[in-house]
Amino acid sequence: MMGTAASQSVLIGRHNIGRLPGLDGNSPAIQWDRILPDPLLQPGITLEGIPVSSHMASYDDKNSAWVYLSVSPALITDTLKSFTPEEGAWLCWIMGGRLYRVEGDRLVDLGGVDQLPELETGVGDTLDQGTLLYSTQMNGVECSVVACPLGLHQLYLAEVIPSDRMAHPLSMLGRPALVSLALVLVMGLGMAALLHRTVAAPIGALQKRMEEVGRGEFSVDPTIEWDNELGDVGRGVNKLSQSVSSLMESRIEDEKQRLDLECRMLQNQISPHFIYNTLNSIKWMATIQHAPGVAEMVTALSRLLKSVSKGSQKLVPLEDEFSLLEDYFTIQRYRYGGTISLTAPNLDGEEWGGYLIPRFTLQPLAENAIFHGIEPKGGVGRLWVDIRHDPDGGDALIDLSDDGVGMEEEQVQQLLSGGGQQRGEEEPFRHVGLWSVHRLLQLSFGPGYGLAVRSVPGQGIIVTIRIPKQPQY
């Protein structure tokens, strides 16, 4: 917004951000080269400003922003009000290759500097370095244009002097004219220094601060909060830095909460799914057989339910997880009439006591092996569980294999991408899927952990679980 015209400005949004020059991302940054009406004022209100835009980006180039300033011409005209030119002479401002006449609080466009004749030559001993001298005709009067550089952005402060006040060549000027010229040059240099201090230096400080923000430095810099319009911009940059820093912290916290919620959802999905099948098995056994096996199944189920009700503990020792697997397999062995068997090691508490694993990791893998590997084959089936150390990093590798029908390589590739999950309408809890277990392990320990699957069609499948000795939460 321009100065104190906040109440006259419209809000910046996606629908009108394109009005601001230089913010389309394709054109170069605008730096002190033109005067334009403020594009964000309400209809019927006109206020001109000098656009200054700059691009900045984060250190990884993933995020970028454009900062746009509209500098009031009053910053220039107010400074020049204290300067009294020679009689018949008037001041000009050269910016972006165009000549502007200073008239009160306005800069009136007189056209391009390229319309002026060629520079005067042979006056290098008279003028300071960088000062330009033109001879031209304005409003039918022969004039000389003396342009003094400000030292940045190709900006010049110029005075147009009628030729009857200034004789040529400069080397033949009388003492009064030379004194006047010297005073003009001194005052021009003073104006240039004043403009540099009040305009150029603050803008340079703002540009430097924006570059720091682009590199990820979001601390507050009170030195850019001056008592002027540019100070308002500095306060805005500091507020922007604080907002970005708060937003980043909020995003990190939200991501942590999201991962924790996803981990709990996956555990809640995996933990109860086997209860449906177990209760069906007990119902089937009670209907067709009155045998001691029912008591053993109920005992195993009791231990499983007790483990489920232990609380919200996500990780359990390996020994407890192997015991849960034994209880689950006891129930399934009765269900299948003893046609399936499980071979599992007895864990040494001293060797494997430092390893933890998410609760109910092995059970859904064994269930998938029975339902999708051994059962389709028909007849007798076997499962093996083996555990070993990874010699490279000390991780624990748990292999669960079966002698079922196996699967094709294409099916194996789909398992860990979510494509292997199948859910029937009649048995919604039967097919939890290897992907859920794989994702739960990654959420618990990190992306380097989880499942690896190998299979030979007609011979069986081997699922390898990798867990660390010191789990990463």
Side-chain angles (χ1 to χ4, degrees):
M1 57 194 68
M2 180 75 73
T4 58
S7 62
Q8 302 172 352
S9 297
V10 298
L11 295 178
I12 298 177
R14 186 173 300 175
H15 66 284
N16 61 359
I17 190 69
R19 297 182 189 175
L20 301 180
L23 265 65
D24 57 0
N26 297 321
S27 60
I30 294 176
Q31 301 288 340
W32 293 87
D33 62 355
R34 69 192 75 173
I35 296 180
L36 296 174
D38 187 353
L40 295 177
L41 287 181
Q42 297 178 359
I45 304 175
T46 302
L47 194 60
E48 293 184 333
I50 302 172
V52 179
S53 65
S54 178
H55 180 261
M56 65 181 181
S58 60
Y59 69 94
D60 56 2
D61 290 330
K62 290 184 178 180
N63 302 288
S64 64
W66 282 88
V67 176
Y68 175 81
L69 311 178
S70 185
V71 181
S72 172
L75 290 176
I76 300 170
T77 58
D78 288 350
T79 306
L80 298 178
K81 286 181 179 179
S82 61
F83 178 77
T84 303
E86 283 277 278
E87 182 179 358
W90 36 278
L91 294 177
C92 287
W93 178 261
I94 298 178
M95 175 175 62
R98 300 190 68 82
L99 189 66
Y100 298 86
R101 180 170 180 170
V102 180
E103 292 185 0
D105 295 329
R106 299 177 61 241
L107 297 177
V108 181
D109 191 354
L110 299 180
V113 178
D114 55 354
Q115 299 178 7
L116 297 176
E118 295 183 0
L119 293 172
E120 292 283 335
T121 58
V123 294
D125 297 334
T126 306
L127 301 178
D128 291 341
Q129 184 178 5
T131 301
L132 307 178
L133 178 63
Y134 300 91
S135 293
T136 185
Q137 189 178 70
M138 292 190 177
N139 299 327
V141 179
E142 295 292 333
C143 301
S144 295
V145 181
V146 182
C148 181
L150 276 78
L152 74 167
H153 300 303
Q154 297 297 313
L155 300 177
Y156 291 83
L157 178 64
E159 185 176 17
V160 179
I161 306 173
S163 296
D164 59 351
R165 300 286 180 178
M166 186 173 183
H168 293 282
L170 290 178
S171 58
M172 302 300 294
L173 286 174
R175 178 169 300 187
L178 290 175
V179 172
S180 299
L181 179 59
L183 289 176
V184 170
L185 294 177
V186 170
M187 295 185 67
L189 292 174
M191 293 298 101
L194 180 60
L195 287 173
H196 182 272
R197 182 173 62 86
T198 58
V199 178
I203 290 179
L206 287 174
Q207 290 176 334
K208 180 180 179 181
R209 177 62 187 144
M210 287 187 289
E211 291 175 358
E212 292 175 351
V213 173
R215 293 193 297 267
E217 176 56 51
F218 300 120
S219 60
V220 176
D221 185 1
T223 62
I224 61 174
E225 298 184 2
W226 307 283
D227 294 329
N228 52 35
E229 292 180 338
L230 293 178
D232 293 338
V233 176
R235 283 183 282 274
V237 172
N238 282 336
K239 290 181 180 179
L240 174 64
S241 300
Q242 290 179 314
S243 298
V244 172
S245 180
S246 300
L247 178 61
M248 292 176 62
E249 293 176 358
S250 176
R251 286 293 302 275
I252 292 174
E253 183 63 27
D254 290 344
E255 184 67 13
K256 289 181 180 178
Q257 294 179 1
R258 185 189 69 81
L259 292 176
D260 184 66
L261 178 60
E262 184 177 355
C263 181
R264 293 190 181 188
M265 290 178 63
L266 288 172
Q267 277 197 319
N268 291 336
Q269 179 187 29
I270 293 172
S271 299
H273 83 283
F274 71 92
I275 298 178
Y276 182 87
N277 291 324
T278 301
L279 294 176
N280 278 342
S281 299
I282 295 176
K283 179 181 179 180
W284 172 75
M285 290 290 295
T287 301
I288 66 174
Q289 174 184 342
H290 297 281
V294 175
E296 187 177 359
M297 290 179 66
V298 172
T299 302
L301 177 60
S302 299
R303 287 195 293 263
L304 287 173
L305 293 177
K306 182 179 180 181
S307 177
V308 172
S309 62
K310 280 184 177 180
S312 59
Q313 183 183 8
K314 294 189 295 185
L315 301 178
V316 298
L318 277 178
E319 184 177 358
D320 293 350
E321 182 66 11
F322 271 68
S323 297
L324 290 176
L325 178 63
E326 291 284 355
D327 290 333
Y328 168 77
F329 201 82
T330 297
I331 298 170
Q332 295 301 331
R333 186 169 60 250
Y334 279 104
R335 175 180 179 179
Y336 286 91
T339 60
I340 60 174
S341 61
L342 171 68
T343 301
N346 293 323
L347 296 186
D348 184 352
E350 295 183 1
E351 182 179 3
W352 302 104
Y355 293 89
L356 300 177
I357 191 170
R359 187 192 305 271
F360 293 102
T361 296
L362 297 178
Q363 180 271 327
L365 301 182
E367 183 179 58
N368 281 336
I370 295 172
F371 290 160
H372 305 303
I374 297 175
E375 185 175 325
K377 182 184 71 170
V380 178
R382 296 187 60 188
L383 275 77
W384 295 269
V385 179
D386 187 29
I387 184 170
R388 66 187 190 282
H389 289 287
D390 184 356
D392 295 331
D395 295 337
L397 300 176
I398 305 172
D399 294 327
L400 192 149
S401 56
D402 63 70
D403 59 354
V405 296
M407 61 180 61
E408 299 293 338
E409 181 64 24
E410 182 179 353
Q411 294 175 291
V412 173
Q413 296 297 327
Q414 292 178 347
L415 284 177
L416 301 184
S417 63
Q421 297 191 63
Q422 304 173 4
R423 297 177 179 261
E425 296 181 357
E426 298 180 356
E427 296 181 280
F429 296 107
R430 180 176 182 182
H431 303 288
V432 175
L434 300 184
W435 179 85
S436 297
V437 178
H438 177 64
R439 181 61 177 156
L440 178 59
L441 289 168
Q442 289 188 328
L443 289 173
S444 300
F445 304 126
Y449 298 93
L451 302 182
V453 181
R454 293 170 291 159
S455 178
V456 177
Q459 297 184 18
I461 189 170
I462 301 175
V463 179
T464 300
I465 305 170
R466 177 182 291 271
I467 59 174
K469 187 168 185 178
Q470 295 182 349
Q472 305 170 14
Y473 292 92

